[in-house]
Amino acid sequence: MIARRTLLATGAAAGLAPLLPAAASAQGNWPQRPVRLLLAFAPGGGTDLIARTLGSAMTPSLGQTLVVENRPGAGGNIATEAVASARPDGYTLLMGNHGPMSVNVSLFRNMRVNPETALEPIGLVADAPLIVVVGPSSKANTLPELLAEIRAANGNLNYASASNGSASHLAAALMLQMAGLRAEHVPFRGAAPALTDVVAGHLHFMVTTLPSVVGLMSSNAVRPLAVTGDARMALFPNIPTVAETIPTYKATAWYGVLAPKGTPEPIRARIFAAMREALSNPDVIRRLRDEGAEPSTLNGPGFAELIRWERERWATVVRQAGITVD
């Protein structure tokens, strides 16, 4: 019996031996066909532009086209689930952001996929602060003046957001919580209709992305009071940070690349190297900064730590603000 077991083990090892170099060769020659980069939002938005900018810049380094596919819906969960269930061979990737990766677990009761266990973070692409703006219903010219208006209204002042649980909603909720203030939240289906009501004077203020509001800032339809990152933006150095008024405050929209769990390390390293090369391209840097995003050098482990930290902090904000989704 011992001899038979030894023979079987030896035969199994001999049968596997030819496969091991083939698997290693396949990883070493990756990619041999186009790579898909899925994202959870419709064409034309900030995430879409960043993904397509990155994809075009990574294509020469990879030697294959990086094809961007839009899979909007369910707060980003559809695209996340599609990548999590894909083969871990490097040919299906996800452009993840803070919503699906860190916030949704606190908003949705029945998540089919846990991004922390189903995906491999490869690297952070960019980090983008938001901007606090007011319309004609506010007399504030600075963030302290806006906070004073909110305090005087005693909870009866309102603010807009792109949707329940969106970056604009959470950033505003965090600002109010840290300032010890209350205001009435009015969600919309997107930043554009929300800003329309801010400009019309129906709503008091909004925290939103730069691309959605830069035209309104140029025409003086809204007044920018502060940015939500930990440093002033290079494009608008005269706009202070929220943290200059509320110490330690930070709320940004970030974007990173992830792969299905089990994707081999050599392939993940190849993807990260192509990302780093793309993000060092001056034209890519310019295009990202034009969108209000700052290119990042954060690698997979650092990106994973960011996701965990964001998940914990936003869970607290969601719970304290009583935020729910339809």
Side-chain angles (χ1 to χ4, degrees):
M1 182 63 72
I2 293 175
R4 184 170 181 272
R5 287 177 179 172
T6 302
L7 180 62
L8 289 173
T10 304
L16 287 173
L19 299 178
L20 296 177
S25 176
Q27 293 178 24
N29 293 332
W30 182 93
Q32 297 177 332
R33 64 177 188 272
V35 178
R36 299 188 303 155
L37 179 63
L38 274 61
L39 63 146
F41 301 94
T47 305
D48 183 70
L49 186 144
I50 288 173
R52 293 182 187 279
T53 298
L54 180 71
S56 296
M58 285 178 63
T59 292
S61 177
L62 293 176
Q64 292 285 347
T65 303
L66 200 154
V67 181
V68 174
E69 292 187 13
N70 303 86
R71 296 280 188 94
N77 292 337
I78 291 176
T80 303
E81 292 168 9
V83 175
S85 63
R87 291 184 61 183
D89 54 11
Y91 288 101
T92 304
L93 306 174
L94 176 70
M95 175 67 84
N97 75 353
H98 68 285
M101 297 303 101
S102 294
V103 178
N104 284 3
V105 68
S106 298
L107 293 176
F108 292 85
R109 293 182 179 179
N110 299 307
M111 292 274 290
R112 295 182 182 179
V113 168
N114 180 355
E116 188 171 11
T117 57
L119 298 169
E120 301 266 14
I122 293 176
L124 189 66
V125 175
D127 198 22
L130 288 78
I131 300 183
V132 183
V133 298
V134 294
S137 65
S138 171
K139 296 180 180 180
N141 289 300
T142 66
L143 182 60
E145 290 176 357
L146 172 62
L147 297 179
E149 288 182 342
I150 298 171
R151 185 173 292 106
N154 196 28
N156 293 320
L157 184 146
N158 53 31
Y159 69 97
S161 84
S163 66
N164 273 323
S166 64
S168 64
H169 182 194
L170 293 170
L174 178 63
M175 183 178 73
L176 292 170
Q177 286 179 16
M178 293 183 68
L181 300 173
R182 293 182 300 111
E184 186 70 26
H185 173 231
V186 182
F188 286 77
R189 292 186 178 273
L195 284 164
T196 297
D197 269 22
V198 173
V199 170
H202 303 316
L203 298 170
H204 212 76
F205 76 95
M206 182 176 180
V207 183
T208 188
T209 59
L210 176 64
S212 67
V213 79
V214 67
L216 296 173
M217 288 165 52
S218 299
S219 64
N220 296 318
V222 297
R223 297 189 302 281
L225 303 186
V227 295
T228 65
D230 53 11
R232 296 192 181 198
M233 295 178 64
L235 285 174
F236 301 102
N238 294 327
I239 302 178
T241 65
V242 175
E244 291 175 47
T245 299
I246 306 174
T248 75
Y249 176 95
K250 180 182 179 182
T252 61
W254 45 259
Y255 314 87
V257 175
L258 303 98
K261 196 74 172 181
T263 300
E265 194 280 332
I267 291 178
R268 287 184 281 127
R270 179 88 170 80
I271 297 168
F272 183 70
M275 287 174 55
R276 293 277 59 78
E277 183 175 341
L279 292 170
S280 65
N281 183 311
D283 185 57
V284 172
I285 294 172
R286 178 188 58 79
R287 294 186 66 184
L288 292 180
R289 286 178 174 166
D290 285 348
E291 289 296 306
E294 187 64 28
S296 173
T297 59
L298 202 61
N299 61 11
F303 185 22
E305 183 59 32
L306 172 66
I307 292 172
R308 284 190 291 270
W309 180 73
E310 288 272 280
R311 182 173 294 140
E312 292 172 2
R313 74 191 295 244
W314 291 123
T316 301
V317 174
V318 168
R319 183 176 62 255
Q320 292 182 357
I323 298 172
T324 60
V325 294
D326 296 333

